[in-house]
Amino acid sequence: MLKVTLKIEGMMCGMCEAHINDVIRKVVPDAKKVKSSYAKGVSTFISETEPDKDELTAAIAETGYTLQNIETEEYTKKIFGLF
């Protein structure tokens, strides 16, 4: 699993976050835990495969925002326990 972080320019409100989340879910069908923050200008999600940067850039640009950077890192599920 990969944690993908997108740096996005142009988000100004909660509706902007919703638009970006919808685009991510459309372009990356296996995306989970999709979250966006207009205040930070960041969207994150978990995916089993690395997303296609060009496809994401184009889809986000169609909605009027600019994808500035994509970072991927290994995602390990946090396990809460007694120990």
Side-chain angles (χ1 to χ4, degrees):
M1 297 285 280
L2 296 170
K3 178 179 178 182
V4 181
T5 304
L6 308 176
K7 179 74 174 155
I8 300 173
E9 183 179 296
M11 290 191 292
M12 301 290 191
C13 64
M15 262 333 261
C16 297
E17 294 172 350
H19 288 138
I20 293 295
N21 292 346
D22 290 343
V23 168
I24 292 169
R25 289 184 185 104
K26 179 180 161 192
V27 175
V28 186
D30 70 338
K32 297 178 175 101
K33 296 188 179 185
V34 180
K35 293 185 232 173
S36 295
S37 169
Y38 73 88
K40 295 178 183 177
V42 172
S43 294
T44 59
F45 62 94
I46 308 297
S47 177
E48 292 187 21
T49 59
E50 190 162 345
D52 182 338
K53 182 178 180 177
D54 294 332
E55 190 176 358
L56 262 175
T57 302
I60 289 171
E62 284 180 21
T63 60
Y65 308 101
T66 304
L67 177 59
Q68 296 179 320
N69 189 27
I70 298 177
E71 294 179 12
T72 58
E73 61 185 84
E74 278 297 315
Y75 174 77
T76 52
K77 189 173 182 179
K78 296 176 184 163
I79 300 174
F80 297 102
L82 298 174
F83 306 111

